[in-house]
Amino acid sequence: MNQPRSPKAGSGQEVRAAAARGLVPVLTDQGSLATLDEHSVIARDRSLLKELCYGTCRRLPRLEALADQLLKQPFKKRDSDIQALLLVGIYQLLYMRIPAHAAVGETAGAARLLGKTWATRVLNGCLRRLQRESDELQAIVDRDANVALEHPAWLLKAFRQAWPEQWQAIANANNQPGPMTLRVNQRHQDRETYLSLLDSTGLSGQLCVHAPDGITLDQPCDVTTLPGFEKGLVSVQDEAAQLSAALLGPALAPRPGARVLDACCAPGGKTAHLLEQFDISLTAVDSDNMRLARVDDALHRLGLTAELQHADATQRDWWSGTPFDAILLDAPCSGTGVIRRHPDIKKLRRPDDIRKLAALQRQLLDNLWPLLRPGGTLLYATCSVLPEENVDQVEAFLARTPDAQVTTPGDVAWGMPSGPGRQLFPEDGGHDGFFYARLEKQAA
């Protein structure tokens, strides 16, 4: 795991107080890390702020268990910011290369910036006890396998039931930060040329094994330091997500001007990749107008054009009536294949969410299939590792859709067969967890 360096002078109480404020919506089920304001601290502290918040969420089940051991009684609900500070302090002591005196003193002192001076003594006492009794306290909480693997019990159970041979590897991969992977825009240059350009600027990476446009960086960096980023030479996109273009290639490459629908398109990575690769007329639909604006920004940076529709893909009031040659349905899902990138999922996701998401996925499949011309291709994708959203979903669709035929390739080197599709698991240092199933509409 990449460990951040010790903070510079000035990276003290302010950044820890900001981290506590950023974590409160997650801890109280009122929001996610998507609302984290990195600009609430000075520029040099932004990477530390992000590490404190994302790292705390990544280790949250274990940190909360340790906090329970350290506290004589839980904090009141109105003091969730102090609870957040305690978790941030534990995270620093156990998982970051920050001097212990700074982790303890600056974290406890941050309570004053939250208007709760009384908490400085409590936090100081808890964190100093953790220093003294670290091995003993960790051994106590790790008796619970769910705590040791840093996942909620219901989610580990779901992994274990679905993937009895891979569930522990999935959990372990979820607990590590995901790598930064780039997609090279082939309209400008091939990835080997861009890799040389990276080397010349002091950045390094490796060619992705499965995605022909992908490069995984050896170390993450700010996108502004990537050569040619603003000119559209490269984008950030996980290797597994890049496979959608290759899967749609057989349907699109032979049909210049093909009509393509990207349903649930935000934030637009797959939208842009399709436009980079193929001569197509693409309609991109999303129900979230703010996220659709991100798609527009991405296409503008890359010099690409598509018809953007702010609409609900479970309805057809936005459709012109002309069938599509191909449809990409990157369906809303649990995100259980990308927990390492969105670690607040461990706290915010609930078992009942899976049933609701599966119902939405079914509705999307049934609504979009009639929009596809006979002979056309629909690619179903999720960033989930749960069968209810993947193999079970597609098999149920096939059972009620006589004109749907599976064309998911079986001769690829990535993932593993999973009914009518292929399942990828998150890999430490590699791609995210993903599921793909490719279907062709048979002529009547």
Side-chain angles (χ1 to χ4, degrees), residues 47 61 121 133 135 138 182 188-189 208 243-244 247 313 333-334 368 377 415 422 424:
S47 61
R121 179 176 294 182
E133 305 174 27
D135 292 344
Q138 291 186 74
L182 309 179
H188 293 282
Q189 58 192 191
C208 289
L243 297 174
S244 59
L247 286 166
C333 71
S334 62
L368 295 174
T377 294
R422 292 191 74 83
L424 298 101

Side-chain angles (χ1 to χ4, degrees), residues 252 255-260 271 274-275 278-282 305:
L252 300 182
R255 298 181 66 87
R259 284 176 47 80
V260 179
T271 310
L274 291 174
L275 289 167
F278 306 110
D279 175 17
I280 55 177
S281 173
L282 190 144
T305 58

Side-chain angles (χ1 to χ4, degrees), residues 24-322:
V24 165
V26 178
L27 299 180
T28 58
D29 297 321
Q30 300 298 312
S32 71
L33 289 180
T35 61
L36 179 65
D37 181 10
E38 295 180 33
H39 294 278
S40 63
V41 297
I42 58 176
R44 68 182 180 187
D45 285 346
R46 288 170 191 164
S47 61
L48 175 59
L49 173 63
K50 189 171 181 180
E51 171 64 18
L52 291 174
C53 291
Y54 278 75
T56 296
C57 285
R58 189 171 288 117
R59 307 290 182 178
L60 191 58
R62 195 163 186 261
L63 301 182
E64 288 183 324
L66 286 165
D68 289 344
Q69 292 290 320
L70 294 169
L71 290 168
K72 293 180 180 178
Q73 58 186 19
F75 291 115
K76 293 181 172 61
K77 186 176 181 179
R78 65 174 180 266
D79 295 322
S80 56
D81 50 355
I82 303 303
Q83 171 76 4
L85 269 182
L86 177 57
L87 298 173
V88 165
I90 298 171
Y91 178 70
Q92 292 170 80
L93 288 175
L94 297 186
Y95 297 103
M96 295 182 72
R97 292 185 299 183
I98 290 177
H101 68 86
V104 174
E106 302 287 22
T107 301
R112 298 187 183 94
L113 299 182
L114 300 176
K116 298 178 179 179
T117 302
W118 60 266
T120 58
R121 179 176 294 182
V122 178
L123 292 170
N124 187 70
C126 287
L127 295 175
R128 291 196 180 283
R129 182 188 169 199
L130 179 61
Q131 283 184 275
R132 296 191 305 269
E133 305 174 27
S134 175
D135 292 344
E136 178 185 347
L137 291 171
Q138 291 186 74
I140 290 172
V141 300
D142 286 344
R143 292 170 187 166
D144 184 335
N146 303 309
V147 170
L149 285 171
E150 299 174 313
H151 280 66
W154 74 267
L155 189 54
L156 276 186
K157 181 180 179 181
F159 290 165
R160 190 164 51 245
Q161 290 178 340
W163 308 108
E165 296 181 7
Q166 297 91 355
W167 70 277
Q168 286 184 301
I170 294 170
N172 288 329
N174 286 347
N175 293 338
Q176 305 301 323
M180 184 173 179
T181 301
L182 309 179
R183 183 190 75 242
V184 177
N185 187 345
Q186 296 282 355
R187 291 186 174 221
H188 293 282
Q189 58 192 191
D190 59 38
R191 64 176 181 168
E192 288 79 10
T193 302
Y194 190 79
L195 185 60
S196 298
L197 184 59
L198 283 174
D199 289 337
S200 70
T201 58
L203 298 172
S204 60
Q206 309 296 325
L207 300 180
C208 289
V209 175
H210 306 300
D213 301 327
I215 296 174
T216 297
L217 296 180
D218 293 334
Q219 295 292 335
C221 67
D222 191 291
V223 294
T224 60
T225 67
L226 294 171
F229 180 80
E230 292 300 330
K231 296 180 180 179
L233 269 61
V234 68
S235 300
V236 178
Q237 187 181 36
D238 179 72
E239 182 181 17
Q242 293 185 39
L243 297 174
S244 59
L247 286 166
L248 283 171
L252 300 182
R255 298 181 66 87
R259 284 176 47 80
V260 179
L261 170 64
D262 184 357
C264 313
C265 65
K270 299 179 186 67
T271 310
H273 197 191
L274 291 174
L275 289 167
E276 289 171 1
Q277 288 284 305
F278 306 110
D279 175 17
I280 55 177
S281 173
L282 190 144
T283 299
V285 172
D286 203 273
S287 60
D288 187 325
N289 210 21
M290 292 183 65
R291 284 168 56 81
L292 196 63
R294 292 177 60 190
V295 180
D296 191 35
D297 291 343
L299 296 182
H300 179 75
R301 179 179 64 84
L302 293 164
L304 303 170
T305 58
E307 179 187 356
L308 302 186
Q309 290 266 18
H310 177 216
D312 182 353
T314 66
Q315 307 297 321
R316 299 181 197 166
D317 52 0
W318 51 271
W319 182 43
S320 68
T322 303

Side-chain angles (χ1 to χ4, degrees), residues 325-352:
D325 298 298
I327 296 174
L328 169 60
L329 173 53
D330 189 8
C333 71
S334 62
T336 45
V338 292
I339 287 175
R340 61 188 185 172
R341 301 192 190 278
H342 304 280
D344 48 0
I345 287 174
K346 292 183 179 182
K347 178 68 174 179
L348 300 176
R349 190 66 71 209
R350 299 287 186 272
D352 192 50

Side-chain angles (χ1 to χ4, degrees), residues 392-412:
D392 296 351
Q393 184 69 256
V394 177
E395 286 182 340
F397 176 75
L398 291 168
R400 64 180 182 271
T401 313
D403 59 348
Q405 178 180 339
V406 177
T407 62
T408 308
D411 58 351
V412 292

